[in-house]
Every structure is written in C-alpha cells, then in structure tokens.
Amino acid sequence: MSTPGRGLHGHVLDTLGPEITAGEYPPGSVLRTDELAQRFDVSRSVMREAVRVLESMYLVESRRRVGVTVRPKSEWNVYDPQVIRWRLAGADRPRQLRSLTVLRSAIEPVAAGLAARHATSEQCAELTECALGMVAHSRGHKLEGYLLHDVAFHRVILAASGNEMFARLGDVVAEVLTGRTQHDVMFEDPDPAAVTLHVQVAEAVRAGDAARAEQLTREITVGALQELDILAP
Amino acid sequence: MSTPGRGLHGHVLDTLGPEITAGEYPPGSVLRTDELAQRFDVSRSVMREAVRVLESMYLVESRRRVGVTVRPKSEWNVYDPQVIRWRLAGADRPRQLRSLTVLRSAIEPVAAGLAARHATSEQCAELTECALGMVAHSRGHKLEGYLLHDVAFHRVILAASGNEMFARLGDVVAEVLTGRTQHDVMFEDPDPAAVTLHVQVAEAVRAGDAARAEQLTREITVGALQELDILAP
DNA sequence: CGTGCTCAATAAGTCTGACTTTTTAGCTCC
DNA sequence: GGAGCTAAAAAGTCAGACTTATTGAGCACG
C-alpha cells in the first residue's frame, strides 16, 4: 500500500507479483513477454520494465529464445518489502507470518540490547511515551490505539539500535503486529503481562541496562511465538 | 559476480548502482533519464529499465516533470543482495561489514537452535563434514580451504533451521566470512577455540540439543564481534 | 546407431521517433 | 500579494523495425 500502481508497469506488478508469489506458476514455468503484454493490454516496453523488476526480486529469470522463467521459491528475495506484502496478502499468509515472527524473535532482543547503549534521550522519551500509550489502551477494547503504540514502540527500539539492518525491519514488524491484531489472534484485550514487559523494556533502555533490555524483550518475543504455537517442547 | 552485465541495462547498473550506494549523489539529487542514456550510450528504453530496477531497490524515485531523485540512505533496501554487494565493494565497506556481523550475531544462534530441532540426518552429516574440514585446514596457512568449509558450515546451519528468511542469509554470511579473510583480519591460522566451537555445534545439532547449539553459536558470533571491536564494555 | 555439424526459427534485446500526461514554475490579472 | 491560468519540461507510453543469442531439428558423417 506504500506506493501502489504508480504507472502502468506498477499496475501490472500488482497483479503479476501476487500471482507468482502465490505459486500459481510452478518453478520453471515460462511466460512470454509478448503474451503478457497482450494480457495486460500494455506495450512491450512497459511489460519489459515490469519483468525487470520481477527479475531484480529474483522471482523470474529472463533468457533469450526461452522466455521469462519462474524461479524456485528458494531463490526469491524474501526480504523485499514488496514480496513480503504480496505474500502476506496471499494464500500462504500464515506461513509467512510465522517466518517473520521467528525472525523478530531473533532480532528484537539484540536490537533492544543495542538500543540500551545507543538510544538518544529523545528516543528514550518516545519509548516511554509509547509504553504509556499501550498501558492507556490496554483495557476496554481499544485495540486500534494499542496497536498504534505497540508498532511505534518496536519501531523506536529497532531505530535506536543504531544498526541500519535492524532499523529497516520496522516495516516488517509493523506488518506482523498489524496482521496479528486484524486477522489471527487477539480478539480481547492484550495480555497484561506483555504490557508490563514493554514498560520495563522502556525503563531498562533508559537506564542503559543492555542485558536487562535484551532479556525482557526476549520474553516479549517468546510470547509472540507462543501465540502462534511455535515453541520448543 | 553472480550475474554480471546480463544485457545492456545490467552494464548500466554495474556502474550506476555502486555510484549511488557509495553516496556520490546526495539525497535529493536529480538525474535525468535522457542524460543518463547519453552518458552510458544506450537507448532510453534500456535506461528506463535500469531506473526501474533502482527504483525497486528504493535507491531512487522517479517522478514526472522532476526526474529521477536519489532517496536518502535510510530508505534503501539494504537486504537486497545486489545492494549489499555494491556497498561491500565501495567505500563504506567497513561499516557495512559491521552491520552485517551484528545481524549475524542475532540470527545465527537462533538458527542453530532451530537446526538442532529440524536438521535432517543428511544435514547433520554435512555439518560434521564441514567441521572436520575446518579442523583439517586450521593449521599451516590453509586459509582458502578453511574458509570454504567455514562458509559451507554456516550455510548448512541456516538452511537446516527450516526458516526461509534465515536460509536466505547464507549469501550474506558467506560474503562477511570471505571479506574478513581476504581483507581485514586473519593473517595467521584461525583461532583454535573457534574451530573447537564449530565441532561442538555440529555435535549439539546432531544430538538435538537446541539450547547448547544456540549457546555455542552465540560464542562463535561473540568472537566475530570481538574481531571487529564491536562489544559491550 | 550415435555423434557432431549446420541452419533456421524463435523470443528476448535494442533502438528510434512520435505522441501523451502530469507536474511545476512563472506569469498575469484581480 | 494571492489566486488562477499557461506553457514548458521531463517522465510515461506506444508502435514498429531491426539485432542477437539460443536452441532444437534435420542432416551428414563416423
């Protein structure tokens, strides 16, 4: 939803991207540029631009005399925000949500530890504000407001880590949290224990206690894993 | 290296991509498609395809009547393998290597824990083979052979985790390990303690001991952080 | 038979030039 | 000086002709 259909080639991608990531074309399938151009009623130039973008996402490979062949799922650039969005909108949304939650559980505790060392005073203030906002919306079916502060909280943590790779996962985490609230679990008010943990993380970061911030965040992510029944026996 | 200059637009990207990721054009700079086409002596169609690819990497934004504007670094898709390669080849290689090493330190321990639960017997065998290969090449300036087995080891761990997001980081880890050996540290034989740790990780995964595999891998990544002087006081 | 060569068909790749659309900056007019 | 109009600028789109690499079929030769 960030930059939808800006240009004809974008419109083509909005249709073709989800189809490919949904697995509608088995690996090795061949698509012809000319046929696709006809199908979408665009010129070959526009179609070629769309194919180039799909190629840069490692979804397809274009070879002379052969055509545009669909690559196996294992080669896709699953970190591309666009690919993530397409897959989250498609059939294997649950699987995608699980993968991303596991990723979160690995990244966020480390990010919180780094944030405790590198966060500016402004970031600490934002963090506290977010945590308080979560508390304020934790009762009485105010899920929208709660989600908003929850997303902001985790974004600040990732940004404050000072690591650009972590910071770029803000959108992914936002997507996971939003997806969880909207579709899957959480019909009632959030777990009070989770809310408390967020407040404590904010405190630990402010205090510069890296080990504590990391440990507390690990507890948060364990909770997220449990919600999806991903856990070690 | 992987798929160089496949087509004219690829050649353009090989030059323009590194320039942008090196920060030669400050954020907000405007490039004109026509001028670029002249500069690289290609047609506008080819140039447009290249711009589309750069756009899908969030390096630039193309707007009517304005031109192709360079986006701020914070918006770049830093997980795109191509972008990673360009940045590793450029001036801020050290910074990039640090970011990636921190990422590794967050991901790999969790991946090793998952591998202990999900690895197939073939993967366990591969792992042991890699670890033994590392031992065999750990003395007598056999750095090339050591590196080969080291890279393979970490690839297997990431793949065996069963998480597609983790598995896709195999190339990144390979890049980091290779870069470390070739350019930065490690002029002598590798640390014997690190070699032992790899052997022990292989054992733990084979035994299905997730906690131990995770802890041992954490020690490996701590070593990697120390080599780059990234550490908590 | 099967090995290797030639050749023609095919689909991507490239180029050109004309045209459309959107956006912005400058200008007029009130 | 602000609102609205106008014209220029640059990306966007299209159609058509041509180029090039690849591959598979057919054929000759061992």
Side-chain angles (χ1 to χ4, degrees):
Chain A
M1 305 254 180
S2 60
T3 43
R6 56 186 185 325
L8 274 187
H9 93 285
H11 177 253
V12 171
L13 286 173
D14 288 341
T15 308
L16 198 52
E19 284 182 3
I20 295 175
T21 53
E24 292 188 22
Y25 307 97
S29 306
V30 276
L31 311 171
R32 255 85 48 113
T33 306
D34 290 9
E35 287 185 8
L36 290 173
Q38 280 191 11
R39 172 184 162 193
F40 291 104
D41 194 37
V42 295
S43 69
R44 289 196 316 135
S45 336
V46 169
M47 197 59 228
R48 287 179 54 71
E49 288 171 25
V51 168
R52 285 282 177 255
V53 173
L54 294 174
E55 207 175 17
S56 84
M57 295 167 173
Y58 296 81
L59 296 183
V60 303
E61 189 181 3
S62 180
R63 275 166 50 198
R64 269 187 154 132
R65 162 68 206 218
V66 175
V68 178
T69 68
V70 178
R71 303 180 92 142
K73 190 176 172 178
S74 62
E75 296 179 8
W76 298 351
N77 180 11
V78 287
Y79 287 90
D80 190 297
Q82 188 81 95
V83 173
I84 291 176
R85 241 174 286 133
W86 287 337
R87 296 184 65 193
L88 280 175
D92 65 3
R93 174 191 181 82
R95 184 189 307 273
Q96 174 77 349
L97 227 38
R98 283 164 160 267
S99 294
L100 294 175
T101 302
V102 173
L103 181 69
R104 267 191 71 192
S105 75
I107 298 290
E108 292 207 64
V110 177
L114 289 171
R117 296 198 188 87
H118 300 114
T120 65
S121 51
E122 286 107 27
Q123 288 170 326
C124 288
E126 284 183 66
L127 219 50
T128 306
E129 198 180 336
C130 292
L132 292 182
M134 290 176 69
V135 172
H137 295 81
S138 61
R139 293 174 181 277
H141 297 285
K142 302 173 180 172
L143 283 182
E144 320 77 33
Y146 180 83
L147 175 64
L148 219 70
H149 289 90
D150 194 10
V151 167
F153 182 93
H154 290 276
R155 270 191 200 282
V156 175
I157 288 281
L158 290 167
S161 73
N163 184 306
E164 58 182 358
M165 308 293 287
F166 290 174
R168 274 310 254 152
L169 290 177
D171 292 336
V172 171
V173 172
E175 205 72 60
V176 172
L177 293 176
T178 304
R180 173 173 69 165
T181 301
Q182 290 182 343
H183 296 269
D184 301 290
V185 280
M186 288 186 84
F187 301 106
E188 318 156 1
D189 287 346
D191 179 14
V195 181
T196 305
L197 281 170
H198 281 78
V199 175
Q200 290 175 321
V201 168
E203 287 171 4
V205 169
R206 187 182 195 81
D209 189 340
R212 185 166 156 78
E214 178 171 343
Q215 181 54 36
L216 288 167
T217 305
R218 191 149 275 138
E219 290 178 35
I220 293 178
T221 57
V222 165
L225 291 173
Q226 283 173 331
E227 283 180 3
L228 296 177
D229 297 314
I230 312 169
L231 218 69
Chain B
M1 316 229 171
S2 58
T3 41
R6 56 191 185 321
L8 275 187
H9 94 284
H11 178 253
V12 170
L13 286 173
D14 288 342
T15 309
L16 198 52
E19 284 182 3
I20 296 175
T21 54
E24 291 187 22
Y25 308 97
S29 306
V30 275
L31 311 170
R32 255 84 47 112
T33 306
D34 289 11
E35 286 185 9
L36 290 173
Q38 279 190 11
R39 173 183 162 196
F40 291 104
D41 195 37
V42 296
S43 68
R44 292 193 311 284
S45 341
V46 168
M47 197 58 229
R48 287 178 55 72
E49 288 171 24
V51 168
R52 286 282 177 256
V53 173
L54 294 174
E55 208 175 16
S56 84
M57 295 166 173
Y58 296 80
L59 296 182
V60 303
E61 189 182 4
S62 182
R63 275 166 50 198
R64 270 186 154 134
R65 162 69 205 214
V66 175
V68 179
T69 69
V70 178
R71 304 181 91 140
K73 189 175 171 178
S74 62
E75 297 179 8
W76 297 352
N77 180 12
V78 287
Y79 287 90
D80 190 296
Q82 188 81 94
V83 173
I84 291 176
R85 240 174 285 134
W86 287 338
R87 297 184 65 193
L88 279 175
D92 66 3
R93 173 191 181 83
R95 183 189 308 271
Q96 174 78 350
L97 228 37
R98 284 164 159 269
S99 293
L100 294 175
T101 301
V102 173
L103 181 68
R104 267 191 71 193
S105 75
I107 297 292
E108 292 207 65
V110 177
L114 289 172
R117 294 198 189 89
H118 300 112
T120 66
S121 52
E122 287 106 27
Q123 287 170 326
C124 288
E126 284 183 66
L127 219 49
T128 306
E129 198 180 337
C130 292
L132 291 181
M134 290 176 69
V135 172
H137 295 80
S138 62
R139 292 174 180 279
H141 297 287
K142 302 173 182 172
L143 283 182
E144 321 77 34
Y146 181 82
L147 174 63
L148 219 69
H149 289 90
D150 195 9
V151 166
F153 182 93
H154 290 276
R155 270 192 199 280
V156 175
I157 287 282
L158 290 168
S161 73
N163 184 307
E164 59 183 358
M165 307 294 287
F166 289 173
R168 273 309 255 153
L169 289 177
D171 292 337
V172 171
V173 171
E175 205 73 60
V176 172
L177 293 176
T178 305
R180 172 173 71 165
T181 301
Q182 290 182 342
H183 295 269
D184 303 290
V185 281
M186 288 187 85
F187 301 107
E188 319 156 0
D189 286 345
D191 179 14
V195 180
T196 305
L197 281 170
H198 281 79
V199 175
Q200 290 174 320
V201 167
E203 287 170 4
V205 169
R206 187 182 195 79
D209 189 341
R212 185 167 156 78
E214 178 171 344
Q215 182 54 35
L216 288 166
T217 305
R218 190 150 274 137
E219 291 179 34
I220 293 178
T221 58
V222 165
L225 291 173
Q226 283 174 332
E227 282 180 3
L228 296 177
D229 297 316
I230 311 170
L231 218 68

